[in-house]
């Protein structure tokens, strides 16, 4: 099993399938995972296998490291398309997330004002007023919604605490369109159970929720790197294209990463 544990607090830049030249901001420890999900497809592995021993980076550490990296990129390149909050778990779990976001936006405006700021989040803290307000400030507020089927969420995303998908949808609607929904479609088995969420029984209820939320875009993707469970499979191009056409027919822009 191959896994990716990212440096902290800054990594990259890396080439993102969805975002371009992306400078990563990892608000989690550099030696393991810190996440409110334990997804069976996570490139960082299972939570239990990579418990961190180091502390979260402080606001000051993030700001200083980000400014130093942006200064270097300004002098030597490459020019970033996006500054992306991602890494070894859920970025909005950091207690200083909102303040760090303010610092990041100020540094972006100073060094690369044309760059976008993106957050990849599993949506578990969007009920918090400080997190909600911070996400309203970013260019790409990318929130996960893999399905509306609670049993499937328990099997594949495996939330570590309270999770109510209808509450998540309600909080997503509160963004009033200032969000991007990101959805993983895959096939295969996990512990003998089918995890194919490409059929209409999953897609159509998910699509109805997406239409209610009315995001500015939907990002559809499938497995790209090795997963902690070896029995997972990529969704096919044809399956992803079919789902994308349904989203387009609903009048919502969609991108597909195969």
């Amino acid at each position: 099993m191959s896994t990716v544990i990212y440096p902290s607090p800054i990594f990259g830049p890396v080439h993102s399938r969805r975002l371009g030249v992306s400078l990563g901001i990892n608000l989690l420890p550099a030696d393991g995972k810190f996440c409110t999900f334990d997804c069976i497809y996570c490139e960082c592995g299972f939570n239990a296998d990579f418990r961190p021993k180091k502390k979260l980076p402080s606001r000051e550490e993030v700001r200083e490291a980000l400014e130093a990296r942006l200064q270097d990129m300004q002098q030597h390149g490459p020019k970033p398309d996006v500054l992306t909050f991602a890494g070894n778990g859920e970025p909005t779990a950091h207690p200083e997330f909102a303040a760090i976001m303010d610092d990041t936006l100020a540094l972006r405006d100073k060094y690369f004002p044309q760059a976008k700021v993106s957050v990849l989040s599993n949506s578990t803290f969007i009920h918090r007023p400080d997190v909600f307000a911070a996400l309203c400030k970013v260019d790409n507020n990318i929130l996960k919604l893999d399905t509306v089927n609670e049993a499937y969420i328990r099997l594949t995303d495996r939330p570590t605490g309270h999770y109510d998908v209808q509450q998540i949808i309600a909080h997503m609607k509160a963004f009033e369109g200032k969000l991007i929904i990101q959805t993983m479609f895959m096939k295969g088995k996990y512990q003998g159970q089918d995890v194919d969420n490409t059929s209409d029984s999953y897609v159509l209820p998910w699509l109805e929720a997406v239409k209610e939320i009315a995001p500015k875009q939907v990002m559809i993707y499938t497995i790209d790197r090795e997963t902690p469970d070896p029995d997972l499979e990529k969704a096919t191009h044809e399956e992803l294209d079919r789902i994308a056409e349904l989203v387009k027919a609903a009048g919502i822009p969609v991108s597909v990463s195969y």
Side-chain angles (χ1 to χ4, degrees):
M1 179 181 68
S2 175
T3 56
V4 181
I5 299 296
Y6 292 94
S8 179
I10 307 300
F11 64 93
V14 298
H15 182 76
S16 166
R17 286 187 295 170
R18 297 177 289 277
L19 302 172
V21 178
S22 172
L23 182 66
I25 303 171
N26 177 21
L27 303 186
L28 294 316
D31 63 337
K33 280 188 69 183
F34 189 91
C35 197
T36 49
F37 273 8
D38 193 13
C39 298
I40 61 174
Y41 56 79
C42 182
E43 66 184 11
C44 297
F46 292 128
N47 292 357
D49 296 331
F50 298 95
R51 297 290 186 195
K53 296 181 175 62
K54 295 182 178 180
K55 295 180 179 179
L56 299 174
S58 68
R59 175 185 179 180
E60 292 73 21
E61 288 171 333
V62 176
R63 184 179 63 244
E64 291 172 4
L66 178 58
E67 182 158 30
R69 190 71 182 93
L70 291 175
Q71 288 174 339
D72 180 75
M73 295 175 79
Q74 194 177 60
Q75 292 179 13
H76 305 108
K79 181 171 68 174
D81 296 311
V82 62
L83 312 181
T84 306
F85 285 81
N88 302 335
E90 176 51 37
T92 64
H94 196 293
E96 295 183 289
F97 174 75
I100 291 170
M101 178 58 67
D102 287 340
D103 293 341
T104 301
L105 292 169
L107 290 171
R108 182 277 306 271
D109 293 345
K110 180 178 179 180
Y111 292 102
F112 292 101
Q114 81 291 341
K116 306 295 186 183
V117 174
S118 299
V119 179
L120 300 177
S121 171
N122 64 21
S123 311
T124 51
F125 288 113
I126 60 175
H127 64 281
R128 284 176 30 184
D130 59 327
V131 170
F132 182 88
L135 291 175
C136 285
K137 299 175 183 178
V138 307
D139 301 288
N140 298 315
N141 170 27
I142 304 172
L143 300 178
K144 173 173 288 298
L145 184 67
D146 284 342
T147 180
V148 297
N149 183 302
E150 288 272 6
Y152 188 89
I153 292 167
R154 302 290 169 194
L155 176 65
T156 61
D157 292 336
R158 306 198 304 170
T160 60
H162 173 74
Y163 185 91
D164 183 322
V165 70
Q166 293 305 319
Q167 289 180 2
I168 294 291
I169 291 168
H171 289 301
M172 286 181 168
K173 290 167 68 174
F175 283 104
E176 297 182 341
K178 191 171 172 54
L179 76 161
I180 297 169
I181 288 180
Q182 183 186 71
T183 302
M184 163 69 77
F185 288 102
M186 62 180 177
K187 301 169 71 173
K189 294 186 179 296
Y190 175 66
Q191 295 182 343
Q193 297 187 65
D194 184 29
V195 296
D196 184 346
N197 65 334
T198 65
S199 66
D200 281 350
S201 61
Y202 287 101
V203 172
L204 296 183
W206 165 84
L207 181 62
E208 289 306 308
V210 170
K211 289 191 285 189
E212 283 185 37
I213 296 163
K216 65 179 182 180
Q217 184 186 349
V218 172
M219 290 180 171
I220 292 172
Y221 71 125
T222 191
I223 295 166
D224 182 46
R225 300 189 175 107
E226 191 170 348
T227 59
D229 188 279
D231 296 326
L232 306 181
E233 301 172 10
K234 292 171 72 78
T236 66
H237 287 208
E238 292 77 16
E239 287 163 335
L240 295 177
D241 287 342
R242 183 186 76 86
I243 297 166
E245 287 302 319
L246 293 172
V247 178
K248 287 179 187 175
I252 301 171
V254 59
S255 66
V256 183
S257 299
Y258 299 104

